Amino acid sequence: MDIFLIYGGKSAEHDISIISAFYILKEIFYDNYQVNLVYISREGVWLEGPTITDPDQVQKDSDLRLGDFATRFDFAKLQEEEAIAFPVLHGPNGEDGTVQGLFEVLNVPYVGCGVLASSTGMDKIISKALFEQAGIPQLPYQAILYNNWVYDPEEVVRDIESHLSYPIFVKPANMGSSVGISQVHDQAELKAGINLAFEYDHRIVVEEGVTAREIEMSILGNEDVHTSVPGELVKDAQFYDYAAKYENNTVQLDIPAKLDSEVVSQLKVYATKAFLAIDGSGLTRADFFVTEDKKIYINEVNTFPGFTTISMYPKLWEATGLSYKDLIEELIQLGLKRHRMKQAKQLKDR
């Protein structure tokens, strides 16, 4: 079977996507597959790379960058009978339902969440509404539109300060990996944080902060949902920003997190509810806050989390008993299974 490994992309998470793709490429079962590299440039151009039949063909993640990729990708190749798309794309134009919609139109099986789960999971405003409906506790928040901010920024600030207490986190509605996110402690920082977030999206979320541990759960499955052991982000600073994640590597992962059994059980329930609320399939990571008095709040979900050497999602499954290599194979099989079920339903409906 041909795997089309698609990575790069137009989002601010372009470089993270390349690193994730590199580690996935090294762990595929090459007895069963050959991998066709498809690199999406920062300008959105799809370029065809070499076919990989042995992981040693690629020695470092820089080999996956533009390099000699000069041929425009022929989308008809995705429609070969024995083929599956594996989009390793983070952020807008990859994790938000857009590329998933392309695969649906082309009738191509693909790894990961579908259109609805990808778009709602990526959008912090919509996902928060779904979590509220599912009965999952959240911290107080407000959604801010760019037009409102431009029209009367002082009124927006007054409204935020009347409903939320500092520290406040300001986030673009559609972005990941802490891109464009600020932790603010006063009005001046709030205004600066809002302006920064609007550089990445025309809709943003402002959310009240909380003193809590940051716990993450990995989710795997289609109709049959499985959750991993929990993991904790242990860091020196309260705010886990982009530099801490990918440049300075100052954040430690405590796996499994040291939590009471009843807290772990509740986290599994909430993670499963979140996955079902967005109509998840394949994989998702659910992020939570757990306070000292054992209150749990969902932060967000990530429908295609990082797969780098420091990424929580594969590490949690490894601690649960599923190796990185077997995890990749399971994701491929889940994508194929979902496609077959959809095809069978379409034939029945005709």
Side-chain angles (χ1 to χ4, degrees), residues 71-85:
T71 305
R72 293 284 185 119
F73 179 65
D74 180 2
F75 288 90
K77 292 184 177 181
L78 286 172
Q79 297 175 298
E80 296 172 0
E81 283 192 18
E82 293 293 321
I84 184 169

Side-chain angles (χ1 to χ4, degrees), residues 19 32 84 126 153 171 174 211 222 229 246 293 315 334:
I19 298 169
N32 302 328
I84 184 169
I126 301 300
K171 310 174 182 180
N174 285 276
T211 301
N222 289 342
V229 299
Y246 297 106
D293 58 357
K315 284 184 171 294
L334 286 169

Side-chain angles (χ1 to χ4, degrees), residues 2 20 33 35 179 199 209 213 217-219 231 234 240 254 276 292 329:
D2 281 297
S20 291
Y33 309 101
V35 181
V179 174
E199 291 181 15
R213 299 164 67 182
M217 302 286 293
S218 290
I219 309 162
V234 182
Y240 183 43
D254 187 13
L276 295 174
E292 189 175 359
E329 178 62 18

